[in-house]
Amino acid sequence: MSDGIGFLGQQEHQRLDDLLVAYLREAGVRTAMLLDRAGRLITQSGEQGAFDVTTFASLAAADFAAGDQLAVLLGEREFASLYHHGEQQSMYLADIGGRAILATLFDAHTTLGLVRVMSRKYVPQLGVVFDDAVARGVPGEHVQMDAEWVEEVESEIDRLFSE
């Protein structure tokens, strides 16, 4: 498992965005987000939630990391996906090659089964984009992460866990 992707160029971002839009349409979900395993939002498609996306990404990555530890306790190497069912909304998290997480938010307009089937179709394709970025290495157009982002996330996590 890797906890980072390194960097993604504009071309990789466009490919990821195109795949997310297709996934969103075929699965009938409200929102799809790509997060790295450290909890940073890479990109998203669909409805903008009425929540802090930075906090959501951090907590979803932490949830997935906790799932990995639970899997080990149960004798599994990892859990490839996690599902949380709510009264109005549900969330499905899928691992992308140990590098990223596909976070899907959906409601009664689709089914868990369709989300899982479409996730299985798109997760390998998303993984290829990350593999290509790693294979390509550093050269290319870079998308810079906000330098203040890490500090903001650490403060938010501290705030959440101190309440």
Side-chain angles (χ1 to χ4, degrees), residues 6 14 16 30-31 40-41 43 49 51 63 69 71 95 98 109 111 121 136 143 145 147 156:
Q14 186 61 54
L16 293 172
R30 294 180 36 239
T31 304
R40 292 176 290 219
L41 178 68
T43 188
F51 53 81
D63 184 28
Q69 294 306 308
D95 178 52
H109 290 93
T111 64
K121 174 181 177 181
R136 185 175 45 79
V143 175
M145 294 284 193
E156 187 66 23

Side-chain angles (χ1 to χ4, degrees), residues 10-67:
Q10 188 62 38
Q11 184 180 21
E12 285 91 8
H13 263 274
Q14 186 61 54
R15 288 170 61 197
L16 293 172
D17 286 341
D18 292 346
L19 287 168
L20 279 187
V21 168
Y23 170 68
L24 202 77
R25 186 181 56 249
E26 288 189 47
V29 301
R30 294 180 36 239
T31 304
M33 295 181 226
L34 288 176
L35 323 168
D36 72 8
R37 295 296 290 246
R40 292 176 290 219
L41 178 68
I42 298 168
T43 188
Q44 72 178 73
S45 185
E47 297 175 18
Q48 303 293 315
F51 53 81
D52 181 352
V53 174
T54 300
T55 300
F56 175 86
S58 298
L59 294 174
D63 184 28
F64 215 87

Side-chain angles (χ1 to χ4, degrees), residues 12 15 99 125-137:
E12 285 91 8
R15 288 170 61 197
R99 291 193 171 106
Q125 295 177 53
L126 293 164
V128 167
V129 177
F130 292 120
D131 291 345
D132 289 349
V134 169
R136 185 175 45 79

Side-chain angles (χ1 to χ4, degrees), residues 90-106:
S90 296
M91 179 175 71
Y92 184 78
L93 303 174
D95 178 52
I96 304 173
R99 291 193 171 106
I101 299 165
L102 172 61
T104 305
L105 304 178
F106 61 100

